[in-house]
Amino acid sequence: MKLSRLAPWLFWALLIMGLSYDFAATDKPRAEPAMLAMGSGKAAAGGHCSGR
């Protein structure tokens, strides 16, 4: 198999394995705010735009 055909499969396999490991290693959801809160109705709770 050529590298040009193998590279996308390798990328997706490593990405899925990394995400699976991340979800398995954490026992609870992270307390971080959403990176993009588009349409959620929630304002930013931290960072330089919060005014705190």
Side-chain angles (χ1 to χ4, degrees), residues 22-45:
D22 185 43
F23 283 122
T26 56
D27 57 346
K28 59 184 176 186
R30 295 184 178 117
E32 302 165 354
M35 186 183 304
L36 299 173
M38 300 183 327
S40 69
K42 295 182 179 180

Side-chain angles (χ1 to χ4, degrees), residues 1-49:
M1 200 181 250
K2 289 184 177 180
L3 181 62
S4 62
R5 294 188 62 169
L6 181 64
W9 287 101
L10 186 62
F11 168 77
W12 286 111
L14 290 174
L15 180 69
I16 290 170
M17 287 180 359
L19 289 173
S20 299
Y21 174 75
D22 185 43
F23 283 122
T26 56
D27 57 346
K28 59 184 176 186
R30 295 184 178 117
E32 302 165 354
M35 186 183 304
L36 299 173
M38 300 183 327
S40 69
K42 295 182 179 180
H48 66 277
C49 296

